[in-house]
């Protein structure tokens, strides 16, 4: 039977845990050790989703009521693109001052009988005589880092420098503002947390940060308790149009890069990790304090159920790990999106906004339409208009499938975005081209150097050039058949790591040699590239228990081992839509919703099986490989100017049984096209029914 609990760290998680334990076990001794003074809080505001607030209410109605009274509720997001301002509704969350939250939790913990020790720095190992020792001392946990091998700790760093700030400028929505400078682009995340007070997080890419001179040490380097006043002044000027005459405010504010913390084990002996000490998820998904508070609820309940702390720790980790892992998987692409947002600001604002909203798989297409159908319509219309087909006057809103939109490829106008490939070993390429055209392909690519007499469908060539080349063979084929595509293997590694750099350089060289497009096919070779977004020092790793701290400033990046990522699991189900496998899913914080897909009609005509040699989506987890492929496709498309075609699964009008993605394949393909991640899809017709490709408009 445990009776003495020591909590290291007086942040929200540690304080809430202390109150919950005392509420359930009034006979337990609970001590909280916090190195700061009670009113010494870093930062400005924190946010909670509606779901988290519901969990707080169920676990502690009194504390929940106090937090609600001190919070503000925000339901809209506003995206301020340099050329337009877009509003998105349906995202209810609560925001509260971090200092106010800490004061409430301090008072609630003390009233429950916990003993709070402020200004107390607990040396690693100094509290190990307690029955339960909780390490709740944050992402930089000194307790955990003293013996990282106990927990299998790894720490990676994001690429982009960011800074937490505040302002008295009025904001009535979670606002994302983007500004262009002579050095590059800056972005601000702003959300109100009290009357007349707003949190602002400013972020930029490493090159812009360095070119703007904000990487240079200033007076704050000699004043550990101060802010980077020089950067504060510069950023206030850059965002003046959004601040309405107000300034940005600091609170020990200086540039940092995000720490991505993972632990193979959350407990060891009588010690257990809580909140950021156990895991972090990038702040752009608003989950840091949320996850920490929910950890406290789960750990307190587990300790209440079990007299054996080790058994309670195991139950706590079993309950929490899957949800935390899913949140980290959502946070990874969100972090990457913000690290590269400047590469997409050339897009039409509506498409840029939809790209932002689909940066993770947290929302289905139906979820997007339920919240802001008008914004989705605008993005789809911008896509069709860019392809040369505007909606007919008076036409009812609602999208045709993205595959139906035309594309101007050099001097050739393709009627749609569907591509088929004729293999080099085909004995009758002319017949194969006619068959592909009859199946509705807008472009047929011939492997090898071939010409055909006056085909009825646009025909091009696709080569497998030598690494980084194209050379004479490419030029010869380009003279015979246009447009010319090069087929390039797409690594499974991070699109923004060394493998992505190499792929982009290869495609850039091919474009310089006359290729108009690139067919990216997944590389089956296992990757040894670094994990997405990681920055490490030169130490080997990361093996379990190894820290990968960089020892350098924001923006420094080197390689490390790769990390496998999968989409959040959605169980397979049944659907009644013709040609689309079924299922329902639940969006975070919403009730279950029945899913439908955009612009897919009821197919009727049987079609033959695809010709041999057509690229297919790789085996394994198709949704995870699809997202990896899209990352490379988007980077190549943005940085090289090449038209990008990617393979999709055979019979793509049929969702794949057991797929772990959030949307059916037609929807994934549609969104990838509309949001500008790809230009063309390479696929045979479905093996059961022919996909209806509605007339554009």
């Amino acid at each position: 039977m445990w009776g003495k609990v020591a909590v290291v760290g007086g942040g929200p998680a540690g304080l809430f845990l202390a109150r919950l334990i005392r509420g359930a076990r009034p006979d337990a001794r609970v001590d909280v050790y916090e190195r700061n003074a009670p009113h010494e809080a870093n930062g400005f505001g924190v946010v909670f989703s509606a779901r988290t607030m519901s969990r707080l209410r169920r676990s502690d109605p009194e504390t929940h009521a106090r937090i609600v009274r001190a919070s503000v509720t925000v339901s809209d997001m506003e995206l301020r693109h340099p050329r337009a301002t877009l509003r998105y509704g349906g995202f209810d969350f609560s925001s509260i001052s971090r200092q106010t939250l800490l004061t409430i939790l301090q008072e609630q913990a003390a009233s429950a009988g916990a003993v709070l020790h402020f200004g107390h720095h607990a040396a690693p190992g100094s509290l190990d005589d307690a029955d339960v020792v909780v390490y709740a001392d944050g992402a930089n946990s000194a307790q955990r880092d003293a013996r990282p091998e106990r927990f299998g700790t790894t720490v990676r760093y994001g690429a982009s420098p960011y800074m937490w700030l505040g302002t008295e400028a009025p904001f009535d929505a979670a606002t994302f503002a983007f500004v262009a400078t002579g050095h590059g682009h800056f972005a601000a995340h702003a959300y109100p947390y009290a009357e007349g007070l707003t949190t602002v997080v400013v972020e930029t890419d490493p090159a812009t940060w360095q070119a703007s001179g904000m990487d240079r040490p200033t007076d704050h380097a000699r004043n550990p308790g101060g802010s980077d006043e020089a950067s504060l002044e510069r950023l206030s000027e850059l965002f003046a149009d959004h601040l309405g005459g107000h300034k940005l405010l600091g609170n020990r504010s200086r540039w940092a890069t995000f720490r991505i913390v993972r632990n193979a084990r959350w407990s060891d002996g009588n010690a257990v990790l809580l909140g950021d000490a156990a895991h972090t998820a990038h702040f752009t998904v608003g989950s840091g304090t949320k996850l920490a508070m929910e950890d406290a609820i789960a750990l307190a309940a587990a300790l209440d159920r079990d007299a054996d702390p080790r058994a309670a720790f195991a139950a706590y980790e079993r309950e929490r790990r899957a949800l935390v892992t899913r949140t980290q998987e959502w946070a990874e692409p969100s972090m990457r999106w913000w690290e590269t947002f400047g590469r997409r600001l050339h897009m039409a604002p509506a498409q840029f906004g939809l790209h932002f909203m689909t940066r993770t798989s947290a929302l289905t297409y139906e979820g997007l339409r339920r919240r802001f159908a008008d914004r989705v319509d605008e993005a789809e219309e911008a896509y069709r208009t860019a392809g040369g087909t505007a909606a007919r006057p008076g036409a009812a809103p609602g999208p045709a499938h993205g595959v139906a939109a035309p594309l101007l490829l050099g001097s050739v106008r393709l009627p749609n975005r569907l591509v088929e490939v004729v293999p080099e070993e085909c004995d009758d390429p002319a017949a194969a081209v006619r068959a592909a055209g009859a199946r509705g392909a807008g472009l047929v690519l011939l492997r090898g150097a071939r010409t055909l007499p006056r085909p009825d469908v646009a025909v091009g060539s696709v080569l497998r050039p030598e690494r980084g080349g194209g050379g004479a063979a490419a030029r010869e084929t380009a003279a015979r058949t246009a447009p010319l595509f090069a087929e390039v293997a797409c690594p499974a590694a991070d699109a923004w790591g060394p493998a992505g750099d190499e792929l982009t350089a290869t495609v850039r060289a091919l474009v310089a040699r006359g290729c108009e497009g690139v067919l990216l096919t997944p590389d089956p070779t296992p990757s040894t590239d670094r994990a997405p977004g990681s920055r490490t020092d030169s130490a080997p790793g990361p093996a379990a228990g190894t820290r990968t701290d960089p020892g350098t400033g924001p923006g420094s990046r080197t390689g490390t081992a790769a990390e496998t990522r999968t989409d959040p699991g959605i169980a397979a189900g049944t659907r009644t839509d013709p040609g689309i496998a079924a299922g329902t899913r639940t969006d975070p914080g919403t009730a279950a919703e029945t899913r439908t897909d955009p612009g897919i009609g009821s197919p009727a005509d049987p079609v033959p099986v695809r010709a041999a040699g057509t690229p297919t989506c790789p085996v394994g987890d198709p949704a995870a490989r699809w997202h990896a492929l899209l990352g490379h496709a988007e980077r190549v498309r943005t940085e090289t100017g090449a038209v990008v075609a990617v393979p999709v699964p055979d019979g793509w009008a049929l969702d794949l049984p057991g797929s772990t993605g959030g949307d059916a394949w037609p929807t994934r393909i549609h969104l990838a096209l509309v949001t500008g991640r790809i230009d063309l899809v390479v696929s045979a017709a479905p093996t059961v029914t022919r996909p209806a490709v509605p007339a554009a408009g």
Side-chain angles (χ1 to χ4, degrees), residues 163 165 212-221 226-238 248 253-255:
M163 185 184 294
L165 303 162
S212 66
M214 294 191 199
D215 62 325
R216 301 186 186 100
T218 56
D219 288 343
H220 80 280
S227 297
D228 184 344
E229 298 295 340
S231 290
L232 267 172
E233 184 176 349
R234 288 284 310 282
L235 294 173
S236 292
E237 295 171 357
L238 290 179
L248 292 171
S253 302
R254 66 270 313 268
W255 293 105

Side-chain angles (χ1 to χ4, degrees), residues 355-676:
H355 197 294
F356 167 67
M357 291 296 174
T358 57
R359 70 194 188 281
T360 77
S361 56
L363 283 175
T364 63
Y365 182 83
E366 286 67 33
L368 296 168
R369 282 203 158 274
R370 187 182 62 250
R371 286 173 168 86
F372 37 82
D374 52 345
R375 298 281 87 87
V376 178
D377 287 342
E378 289 169 1
E380 289 168 336
E381 177 61 18
Y383 167 74
R384 291 195 298 268
T385 300
T389 305
R392 295 187 301 272
H401 194 280
V403 168
L407 175 68
L408 187 62
L409 181 54
S411 60
V412 178
R413 186 178 186 275
L414 306 182
N416 60 55
R417 308 297 182 99
L418 188 63
V419 180
E420 289 197 36
V421 177
V422 176
E424 194 164 4
E425 60 270 21
C426 178
D427 294 331
D428 191 349
V433 168
R434 288 195 297 272
R439 287 190 292 266
L443 174 66
V444 181
L445 295 177
L446 303 175
R447 293 195 188 277
R450 304 177 183 219
T451 57
L452 296 175
R454 301 184 62 184
D456 295 328
V457 63
V459 176
S461 294
V462 59
L463 300 179
R464 293 191 180 99
E466 295 182 356
R467 193 178 190 84
R475 288 192 293 273
E476 178 184 353
T477 306
R480 296 184 183 186
T481 308
L484 175 66
F485 276 65
E487 183 175 1
V488 182
C490 179
D494 174 29
W496 302 96
D501 296 342
E502 185 176 357
L503 174 64
T504 303
T506 297
V507 175
R508 188 177 289 112
L510 291 167
V511 170
R513 288 167 171 80
C515 287
E516 294 176 76
V518 59
L519 168 57
L520 294 182
T521 55
D523 187 348
T525 305
S527 169
T528 58
D529 200 359
R530 66 179 180 84
S534 63
R535 297 195 301 113
T536 72
D537 58 15
S538 58
T546 301
R547 296 271 316 285
T548 55
D549 295 315
T552 58
S556 174
R557 303 173 66 181
T558 58
T560 154
E563 170 185 53
T564 302
R565 288 167 41 209
T566 59
D567 285 348
I570 304 297
T574 47
R575 302 180 59 141
T576 56
D577 295 333
I580 308 172
T584 60
R585 75 164 283 169
T586 302
D587 283 336
T590 68
E593 63 180 16
T594 303
R595 294 172 49 224
T596 57
D597 294 277
I600 304 296
S602 301
D605 301 329
V607 297
V609 177
R610 70 176 180 87
T614 300
T616 62
C617 200
V619 296
D621 181 349
R625 295 300 298 270
W626 170 252
H627 285 293
L629 185 62
L630 285 188
H632 286 283
E634 180 182 1
R635 181 177 179 188
V636 165
R637 183 180 185 273
T638 300
E639 295 190 16
T640 71
V643 171
V644 175
V646 300
V648 296
D650 287 348
W652 59 269
L654 302 176
D655 204 6
L656 302 182
S659 169
T660 60
D663 278 312
W665 280 105
T667 311
R668 292 179 182 148
I669 295 166
H670 175 78
L671 285 174
L673 288 163
V674 170
T675 56

Side-chain angles (χ1 to χ4, degrees), residues 252-338:
R252 299 183 183 181
S253 302
R254 66 270 313 268
W255 293 105
T257 48
F258 191 78
R259 296 166 60 90
I260 306 161
V261 175
R262 288 184 171 89
N263 287 277
R265 297 168 296 282
W266 290 5
S267 63
D268 179 77
N270 66 336
V272 63
L273 302 175
L274 188 71
D276 283 355
H279 47 73
T280 61
H282 197 249
F283 57 83
T284 56
V285 295
S287 292
T289 307
K290 157 195 159 62
L291 290 177
M293 298 281 281
E294 292 175 351
D295 278 359
I297 294 170
L299 179 56
L303 287 168
D304 184 42
R305 290 191 302 266
D306 207 311
D308 179 2
R310 289 163 179 78
F313 297 163
Y316 151 68
E317 183 172 347
R318 282 195 303 271
E319 178 182 343
R320 294 292 297 158
R321 183 176 281 280
L323 187 146
V324 166
T325 299
R326 183 177 67 178
T327 303
Q328 289 181 314
E329 287 168 352
W330 282 339
E332 191 82 54
S334 182
M335 180 181 74
R336 179 64 68 208
W337 192 95
W338 283 102

Side-chain angles (χ1 to χ4, degrees), residues 16 19-20 53 56-57 59-69 96 101 104-105 107-109 111 293:
F16 196 44
R19 173 173 171 80
L20 293 176
M53 292 298 287
L56 294 178
R57 183 180 64 249
S59 63
D60 186 352
E62 181 182 324
T63 300
H64 169 266
R66 292 193 62 182
I67 292 173
V68 168
R69 287 195 296 270
I96 185 172
L101 175 65
I104 291 172
L105 295 175
E107 293 172 355
Q108 292 294 95
S111 69
M293 298 281 281

